[in-house]
Amino acid sequence: MSSPGQLRPVPRRSTAELIADQLRSAIMYGSLSPGDQLGEAELAGRLGVSRGPLREAMQRLVQEGLLRSERHRGLFVCELTPADVRDIYVARLAVERAACELIMRGNRGEALARLTPAVDRLAQAAAKGDREEMSDADQEFHRTLVSCSGNSRLERMAQTLLVETRMCLTVMQDVYPEPEELLEEHRRILDTIVDGEEERLLALIESHMIDTVERINAEGGNGAGEDGELPEATPGD
């Protein structure tokens, strides 16, 4: 194991990894919408890449559950139902609970240093009432929280779940907490890490996730169409 400060080779990312990152971002922010078909020739042209690494990147996203393959038809961006949204939050709870346990038994000072700017960004977005920026800041906080665990596998799982969380923004808008409420939830999580109260931290993370699920349940799938799928996002969602 290398000593702190020792120089190590810098890992080089493959073209397929870089393409996968772009596709995830496009799915997350709606440039590629749920149900959209991905045409190899068009995407290869837009990205300026050959089809080989593009196919590899798309298969990664199939494995992550962001794309689905239909026999003789091709690849499509997955569509999420209210039940999928509930499943996403249950999975996020499992990942983030594990991350919090590792943080509380590790370097809480590092977590404080990294999470404070994320809370500050959320406060700025809440002050403006900018829900899209709030959602970005919310996700940045949770991505950083899992990263502070030092467990790369938890980070990989969290990455896919956070992309899916952003995909279901349409149904979330009806149940999303008010700006000050959301900000206070995240401040409490950070304060509890500082205080070293593991049981309270785990309870706050569970409440943070389960409250969202309960809001969705209370809506009774009002955001879904007859087939149970979420409606296409409208401008400003």
Side-chain angles (χ1 to χ4, degrees), residues 15-25 57-58 60-61:
T15 302
E17 286 180 293
L18 296 172
I19 295 170
D21 282 349
Q22 286 213 44
L23 293 177
R24 281 192 205 93
S25 181
M58 291 194 294
R60 290 185 185 207
L61 268 61

Side-chain angles (χ1 to χ4, degrees), residues 24 27 61 64-68 76-78 160 163-164 167:
R24 281 192 205 93
I27 291 170
L61 268 61
E64 292 173 11
L66 300 177
L67 299 178
R68 58 181 169 81
F76 297 81
V77 179
C78 287
T160 299
V163 173
E164 290 183 307
M167 287 172 67

